[in-house]
Amino acid sequence: MSWARTAHRTPYGLAEVAWERAEGELRVDVTVPTGSVATVVLPGLEPREIECGRHRFVVPHPSPPDDREWHPSPPFPLDEMLTEGER
């Protein structure tokens, strides 16, 4: 997965977050409703508390095909898991 977006209507207004991984970066857009705070946790950075409003964060991050954390090698080949009849 290289991007996602979600929103939730809170008693204080709409809270939103969207992220995209592209060109070696992770780009995160956050909307915090008025009267609220949020904690943003991004790879390579300390957690950061942000106040209401729109915020954009950009941090270096491998693209999905190059990121072994997101695409780890299987611990053993798939054909070893299948029985003769399933191959």
Side-chain angles (χ1 to χ4, degrees):
M1 189 169 9
S2 59
W3 67 272
R5 173 179 284 173
T6 191
H8 177 74
R9 186 153 314 277
T10 75
Y12 303 99
L14 195 63
E16 298 177 276
V17 64
W19 62 265
E20 175 186 24
R21 294 180 355 154
E23 301 168 359
E25 294 179 330
L26 174 64
R27 302 172 191 137
V28 181
D29 293 306
V30 180
T31 301
V32 181
T34 301
S36 303
V37 295
T39 302
V40 177
V41 180
L42 297 169
L45 299 178
E46 292 294 319
R48 181 174 171 187
E49 193 169 276
I50 57 174
E51 305 226 351
C52 64
R54 292 180 170 265
H55 306 270
R56 171 165 265 207
F57 302 91
V58 179
V59 295
H61 205 271
S63 63
D66 299 328
D67 187 349
R68 296 189 59 72
E69 181 178 327
W70 288 80
H71 296 278
S73 299
F76 40 83
L78 181 60
D79 61 348
E80 290 180 13
M81 295 174 45
L82 302 175
T83 64
E84 273 305 311
E86 295 175 315
R87 290 184 202 169

